[in-house]
Amino acid sequence: MYKFTHGEIEVFRFPLLPFYKNFVFYLYFVDGLLIDTGPRLRKSILAHEFKALPIKKVALTHHHDDHMGMAGWLWRNKKASIYSHQKTVPHIKKQKHLPWIYRVGRKLAGQFDQVSYPKKLKTDHYEFIPVHTPGHTDDHVVLYEPNEKWLFTGDLYITSHPKVAHKSESIIQYIDSLEKIMKLDFETIFCAHEGVVTDGREKIEEKIVYLKRMQKYVSEMHEEGFTDDEIVKIVFPRRVALESLTFGAFSRKNFIRACYQEETM
């Protein structure tokens, strides 16, 4: 666990999997609010840190276990209010489309009481506006603090040039969500896997350009009759580390399909 501060924000960085140090996760805590929870798989290190924090509220960006796996523990042990998008609830109950990596250690449905996001999630000194941003999942939310120009992006950013995707993703919705947040007056983005990105606007713009180009290119090949496997060999001939790590749950083929899939599943 590596800890540092960015202004008033406490940042926690740790390997998502104990046996793979390069796949990391970032948690953010500010003014009593914890943004996402980390996975239950890392309960031993997270519970120790959470016990020392004055956590009053928890904001979930979406239903994947690395983002909400410790929500039940926080609800029971810290009496924290757990906020999420209303579309998160059926995912919690059904655990639909979860890659194996998100199911490890997951408790059954009903582990905590969930509260749907209000228009503004207020702490003592800040106001966070939840913005629905489907694409990665249908319940994905980013949190925007307009006075500080902060944007907590969950899994909306991660990288400007993704090569893999989960089968539930839609690049078309991803682009729409990225263009939606570009209308906000933000500077720094706080990403769950990339960390603090001070040139956030530039990176989001870069991702929009890349995804539009890839979506057009792949869709044209798909319409011409190329198979998904053929397109993968043309566009992404080299295997990606995350593809092996997740046993194909995140894959190049899923990214290709996401380019012509119109809605998240």
Side-chain angles (χ1 to χ4, degrees):
M1 176 76 72
Y2 175 64
K3 297 179 283 187
F4 62 97
T5 59
H6 182 86
E8 300 299 316
I9 302 169
E10 295 184 56
V11 185
F12 301 81
R13 180 187 186 274
F14 58 93
L16 191 58
L17 301 171
F19 53 83
Y20 188 73
K21 304 298 183 182
N22 294 328
F23 191 22
V24 299
F25 195 86
Y26 290 81
L27 290 175
Y28 304 99
F29 177 75
V30 57
D31 201 25
L33 177 68
L34 181 69
I35 298 172
D36 285 329
T37 75
R40 283 189 52 80
L41 184 64
R42 304 315 311 271
K43 178 183 175 181
S44 59
I45 62 170
L46 293 173
H48 174 75
E49 297 296 334
F50 292 162
K51 286 176 182 177
L53 291 176
I55 301 170
K56 299 177 181 178
K57 298 178 180 180
V58 177
L60 304 178
T61 58
H62 60 295
H63 68 274
H64 285 166
D65 189 67
D66 52 340
H67 295 261
M68 60 154 279
M70 287 292 289
W73 187 95
L74 287 160
W75 180 71
R76 292 189 302 273
N77 293 276
K78 302 293 290 189
K79 310 303 179 185
S81 299
I82 313 293
Y83 292 86
S84 73
H85 192 272
Q86 60 186 7
K87 287 189 175 182
T88 300
V89 177
H91 284 290
I92 294 171
K93 292 180 178 179
K94 296 179 181 178
Q95 299 190 30
K96 186 179 180 182
H97 300 306
L98 290 181
W100 74 269
I101 196 172
Y102 296 139
R103 295 196 300 265
V104 175
R106 181 84 172 257
K107 281 198 169 184
L108 295 176
Q111 62 175 331
F112 62 90
D113 287 343
Q114 173 269 353
V115 181
S116 294
Y117 276 120
K119 290 184 178 180
K120 292 183 179 180
L121 182 57
K122 297 181 180 181
T123 65
D124 290 342
H125 302 98
Y126 304 104
E127 291 186 349
F128 296 87
I129 301 172
V131 182
H132 186 212
T133 51
H136 177 63
T137 61
D138 64 351
D139 65 326
H140 197 281
V141 168
V142 301
L143 293 158
Y144 172 52
E145 214 300 338
N147 295 316
E148 301 294 334
K149 299 184 179 181
W150 296 334
L151 193 66
F152 295 85
T153 55
D155 280 353
L156 186 65
Y157 171 64
I158 302 181
T159 175
S160 297
H161 296 79
K163 296 180 177 64
V164 297
H166 184 248
K167 64 181 180 181
S168 63
E169 293 186 281
S170 164
I171 300 303
I172 295 171
Q173 284 191 320
Y174 232 124
I175 293 168
D176 288 344
S177 291
L178 290 167
E179 290 183 329
K180 179 194 293 187
I181 67 171
M182 283 302 294
K183 296 176 183 178
L184 305 174
D185 183 20
F186 68 93
E187 294 176 356
T188 304
I189 62 176
F190 300 85
C191 175
H193 295 285
E194 187 66 16
V196 181
V197 183
T198 54
D199 57 343
R201 294 195 71 85
E202 291 81 359
K203 291 298 184 181
I204 296 295
E205 287 177 351
E206 186 179 332
K207 184 164 187 173
I208 291 171
V209 171
Y210 169 79
L211 290 182
K212 283 185 173 181
R213 184 175 71 249
M214 293 302 298
Q215 195 275 326
K216 182 175 184 295
Y217 184 40
V218 169
S219 294
E220 288 176 349
M221 283 192 286
H222 175 69
E223 290 172 2
E224 289 172 9
F226 286 87
T227 67
D228 294 339
D229 287 329
E230 289 170 338
I231 299 173
V232 167
K233 290 179 180 179
I234 295 169
V235 179
F236 301 128
R238 294 184 179 180
R239 193 169 178 85
V240 179
L242 189 60
E243 194 168 15
S244 300
L245 181 65
T246 62
F247 296 95
F250 286 87
S251 69
R252 293 165 294 166
K253 184 183 287 189
N254 285 339
F255 182 92
I256 297 305
R257 291 172 176 167
C259 284
Y260 57 80
Q261 180 170 285
E262 294 186 3
E263 295 184 0
T264 48
M265 297 168 58

